[in-house]
Amino acid sequence: MNTRPDSAYTSLAQEPVEEDINAQGSKCMTQWGESCSAIERKIVECLRNNAGLLLVMLAQLFASFMNATIKVFNQLEPPVPVLELVTVSMAITFICCEIYMLAAKIPYPFLGPKEVRLLLASRGVTGFFAVFGIYYALQYLPLGDVTVLTFVGPIFTGIAGRLFLGETYSKREAFASVFSLLGVILIARPPFLFESARDPDFEGPAVDASARDRLRATLVLVMGVLIYTFAMIAIRAIGTRAHAMHSMAYFSLWCAIVSMIGLFISGEPIVYPTPWEWNVLLLLIGVLSFTAQMCLTMGLQRETAARGTIGVYVQVIFADVLEVLFFKTVPSFLSFLGTGIIMTCAVYIVLTKQKQHQEPKVSLESGESTLEEGFLTHEISVAEE
């Protein structure tokens, strides 16, 4: 006769059930942890593969803040000439570059590595004339026209990267560039396409110029866009043979020198700072300019010209957001539509990057590099979709 209590049978029956539940719970936790780890690895891999493009986008954020700061700065009295503003901001950028290179003990802080000095000089010269083309065109053309013509640059850069550097320029990148340009057109609404839908708040003061002046300004701007293409190609050609600060130092120094000469030739009066707001905003413009140029240069050193310059389009989105936050400008439906197109193209390019290929890196101390080595070679990527 079995005298074991009923509670003992119940306990023995429950033990396997509890063990199964614990095992299943442990298995679920293990699977959940593995899933989280896999997602985390994919995110890290995505960020690593798109580091260059993301740096270019970050540069556009700082550039947008700089433009907003300039807009506030221009509202102060007395107004500051554009050339003086460029001179001071670029001088601040150059000083920051040299201080960083001296503190970090980067080789050749003033002239850069010998084998790429010609490329560094060409980056500085072409960069200045690209900026000059924009400033000149703004005197005779509406802002919308200038914006659209300027953002044709990334398309030219992708083509030039393919022709001169042998870089990959896929169909998806070409389509993303074209559709991003369409988004810019919807946001900027240039008068030559949207004459009936002009936005006085976006366009600013009316531009009074003759047909000859507008034609000349358009030609100068197009030349500036083409020269901008070669500035970006120069950065890619330099690659990792020079520090990003070298490229920035050449660009900022050349801009500061030529702008100062232009200021004296034009005869515009130099405005000396008196209000404290003037000094704070001017310093902020210089710091934001330095940061934007640093992120842009570092991004283009890590990314092909085609993919890297696609990130430039997001500046229009940042500009719209800052207009809403600081200047209470309400975007139109077309602006929202254009923003959505640009964001979709940017996300598409980030998520569809093909397998990363490593660039050949040349030591800064090596004297074996020649100028021709700057025209980087890249392995042939997998067949385009």
Side-chain angles (χ1 to χ4, degrees):
M1 182 174 180
N2 192 350
T3 59
R4 182 175 293 181
D6 293 341
S7 59
Y9 288 107
T10 304
S11 176
L12 290 174
Q14 288 179 345
E15 285 179 1
V17 176
E18 292 177 355
E19 290 178 357
D20 290 342
I21 294 175
N22 292 334
Q24 292 176 0
S26 177
K27 183 178 180 181
C28 291
M29 292 299 294
T30 302
Q31 292 176 347
W32 172 256
E34 291 176 353
S35 300
C36 291
S37 299
I39 294 174
E40 183 179 353
R41 284 195 299 270
K42 289 182 179 180
I43 293 175
V44 171
E45 182 181 0
C46 181
L47 292 176
R48 184 182 296 113
N49 290 339
N50 294 279
L53 179 60
L54 295 175
L55 279 170
V56 173
M57 291 181 178
L58 183 61
Q60 305 316 304
L61 175 61
F62 287 112
S64 298
F65 273 107
M66 181 188 69
N67 292 337
T69 306
I70 292 175
K71 189 169 183 178
V72 174
F73 184 81
N74 289 333
Q75 296 174 356
L76 299 179
E77 293 292 339
V80 179
V82 172
L83 287 175
E84 180 180 351
L85 181 60
V86 173
T87 301
V88 176
S89 62
M90 287 296 135
I92 293 174
T93 300
F94 176 75
I95 292 172
C96 290
C97 290
E98 293 301 328
I99 290 176
Y100 179 89
M101 286 192 287
L102 290 173
K105 297 181 180 180
I106 296 174
Y108 312 108
F110 296 103
L111 297 178
K114 295 180 181 179
E115 65 271 17
V116 292
R117 285 176 184 172
L118 184 58
L119 281 172
L120 287 169
S122 66
R123 188 275 183 266
V125 174
T126 54
F128 167 77
F129 282 107
V131 173
F132 173 79
I134 295 174
Y135 280 122
Y136 182 84
L138 284 172
Q139 299 179 63
Y140 304 103
L141 298 176
L143 179 59
D145 293 359
V146 175
T147 301
V148 171
L149 290 175
T150 299
F151 278 96
V152 177
I155 298 178
F156 290 158
T157 302
I159 297 173
R162 175 66 176 175
L163 294 176
F164 296 109
L165 305 182
E167 294 183 339
T168 301
Y169 187 39
S170 66
K171 293 180 181 179
R172 63 169 62 90
E173 290 163 356
F175 282 127
S177 295
V178 172
F179 278 99
S180 295
L181 179 61
L182 174 62
V184 173
I185 292 174
L186 293 177
I187 294 173
R189 296 185 297 282
F192 72 89
L193 293 177
F194 295 86
E195 185 64 35
S196 61
R198 295 185 63 174
D199 186 351
D201 293 332
F202 180 83
E203 291 294 335
V207 179
D208 185 14
S210 64
R212 179 177 297 180
D213 289 336
R214 289 194 295 270
L215 177 61
R216 184 172 61 249
T218 301
L219 293 176
V220 171
L221 179 58
V222 171
M223 288 300 299
V225 171
L226 292 175
I227 292 174
Y228 163 86
T229 297
F230 286 101
M232 298 299 100
I233 294 301
I235 295 177
R236 288 292 301 150
I238 293 167
T240 57
R241 293 182 293 159
H243 196 279
M245 294 296 167
H246 287 127
S247 177
M248 293 169 54
Y250 268 84
F251 170 64
S252 56
L253 178 61
W254 182 260
C255 286
I257 293 174
V258 179
S259 298
M260 186 181 300
I261 294 174
L263 184 63
F264 283 109
I265 293 177
S266 66
E268 290 186 276
I270 298 177
V271 178
Y272 295 96
T274 48
W276 66 269
E277 296 94 341
W278 202 97
N279 295 275
V280 172
L281 289 176
L282 190 59
L283 180 62
L284 183 59
I285 290 170
V287 172
L288 289 172
S289 173
F290 166 78
T291 309
Q293 285 294 324
M294 179 181 67
C295 293
L296 176 64
T297 305
M298 292 174 62
L300 289 176
Q301 285 181 332
R302 292 162 170 80
E303 191 56 86
T304 63
R307 294 188 82 252
T309 51
I310 288 176
V312 175
Y313 288 109
V314 300
Q315 181 179 350
V316 183
I317 300 176
F318 294 141
D320 262 4
V321 173
L322 293 179
E323 285 284 344
V324 174
L325 294 179
F326 295 106
F327 304 106
K328 309 303 180 184
T329 302
V330 180
S332 65
F333 170 76
L334 291 178
S335 295
F336 281 114
L337 181 60
T339 299
I341 293 175
I342 295 174
M343 290 181 65
T344 302
C345 291
V347 173
Y348 173 71
I349 286 297
V350 168
L351 296 180
T352 58
K353 178 164 185 178
Q354 297 172 350
K355 185 177 179 181
Q356 182 73 25
H357 299 286
Q358 296 296 326
E359 297 178 359
K361 294 188 177 182
V362 183
S363 172
L364 295 182
E365 287 76 15
S366 174
E368 299 176 357
S369 302
T370 60
L371 178 62
E372 288 75 14
E373 287 175 334
F375 293 94
L376 305 175
T377 56
H378 295 266
E379 300 176 4
I380 300 176
S381 62
V382 294
E384 303 298 335
E385 292 183 353

